[in-house]
Amino acid sequence: MTTLTTTPLAPLLDRLFAEAEEAKAGIDAAVADLSDEEQARLMRSKTEYRDLYGRLKRAPLAVSRETGALLYMLARSSGARTIVEFGTSFGVSTLHLTAALRDNGGGRLITTEFESSKVARARENLTAGGLVELVELREGDALETLEADLPESIDLLLLDGAKALYPDVLALVEDRLRPSALVVADDADVSPEYLARVRSPAEGYLSTPFGEDVELSMRLG
Ligand SMILES: C[S@@+](CC[C@H](N)C(=O)[O-])C[C@H]1O[C@@H](n2cnc3c(N)ncnc32)[C@H](O)[C@@H]1O
């Protein structure tokens, strides 16, 4: 038995994944006035991400069921006790990672989100899942909220916020990643700068694309 597959978390995740599926039409509507080129430009922008995610503040934008299961398994099998997450949204990935912390015997997850309505939804979901006491929700831009007060040693980092900021957020957390720490980046193909960095052993990582949209990397050292 695991926290992930039992009540209250399993039925909660069923509901959240169903809601995420239903909300997909709303994502298209929220950016319908932007051309494909403009959408691609905003996705890659290091300065206009607030505008893009402001339009998407009602959308869950959750990781897929497969990625959620992968996150649980990676955190669980590596015995993670300290996790940092960039991009909370309604907390679907947070629930998977925190379930692994609980099953590993406890720990701490720091997650960050700048849309306050999403922070409130994530807190509600983490409370409903019985996991909120393991989570520190930092409201604000990750470039500020992850600048200080990080754990001495971090076992796993999930990057799932504005894609263009992946290299910058990695740089904030990098010194704290323990040897063999895992870094999971969702939709990392949007940031060639990030991929170039983690795919270079000279930069201190071993990295591979995994599944449909995940880049899985390990800190060397
Ligand atoms: C793809 S969603 C995260 C989905 C979440 N990991 C899940 O599985 O439920 C990305 C989220 O990151 C937030 N975000 C984007 N850039 C951010 C930044 N610089 N700082 C804080 N939050 C950010 C967005 O508002 C959005 O809710």
Side-chain angles (χ1 to χ4, degrees):
M1 300 297 266
T2 70
T3 301
L4 193 66
T5 55
T6 49
T7 302
L9 190 53
L12 172 66
L13 287 172
D14 285 345
R15 175 166 69 74
L16 293 175
F17 279 125
E19 284 173 9
E21 198 52 41
E22 277 168 29
K24 277 188 177 157
I27 299 176
D28 295 337
V31 293
D33 59 318
L34 301 175
S35 65
D36 289 350
E37 293 72 30
E38 183 63 0
Q39 286 180 40
R41 191 186 68 74
L42 285 180
M43 284 284 285
R44 288 178 162 75
S45 171
K46 284 202 184 215
T47 53
E48 292 173 81
Y49 52 88
R50 197 76 209 230
D51 175 29
L52 177 66
Y53 285 101
R55 286 169 173 262
L56 298 171
K57 68 179 168 198
R58 277 177 209 84
L61 306 173
V63 291
S64 65
R65 247 188 202 285
E66 294 74 19
T67 300
L70 176 70
L71 289 172
Y72 176 86
M73 290 189 280
L74 290 172
R76 183 89 174 89
S77 59
S78 62
R81 292 297 189 122
T82 49
I83 298 179
V84 173
E85 175 183 63
F86 166 42
T88 320
S89 197
F90 296 172
V92 172
S93 50
T94 323
L95 286 163
H96 287 83
L97 290 168
T98 314
L101 287 183
R102 161 72 44 82
D103 292 343
N104 284 345
R108 177 180 176 211
L109 182 147
I110 295 169
T111 184
T112 189
E113 168 63 57
F114 52 31
E115 292 297 341
S116 52
S117 59
K118 287 191 156 186
V119 173
R121 285 286 287 273
R123 187 169 284 116
E124 270 174 36
N125 289 331
L126 287 159
T127 303
L131 294 166
V132 74
E133 73 273 10
L134 297 175
V135 180
E136 185 186 333
L137 275 154
R138 293 188 182 177
E139 183 174 334
D141 193 308
L143 295 179
E144 289 162 18
T145 60
L146 298 182
E147 214 178 10
D149 299 324
L150 293 175
E152 278 301 307
S153 170
I154 295 169
D155 300 316
L156 191 151
L157 168 67
L158 171 63
L159 298 172
D160 196 21
K163 312 306 162 200
L165 299 185
Y166 283 7
D168 307 75
V169 174
L170 180 64
L172 290 179
V173 173
E174 194 162 56
D175 283 355
R176 305 295 175 103
L177 292 174
R178 69 154 163 84
S180 306
L182 296 172
V183 184
V184 185
D186 206 27
D187 297 321
D189 53 323
V190 180
S191 177
E193 182 191 341
Y194 176 78
L195 291 182
R197 175 120 166 244
V198 290
R199 288 179 184 173
S200 159
E203 296 280 344
Y205 294 93
L206 208 58
S207 194
T208 183
F210 195 87
E212 259 179 53
D213 336 282
V214 167
E215 181 76 11
L216 176 59
S217 313
M218 191 185 82
R219 183 78 174 140
L220 297 171

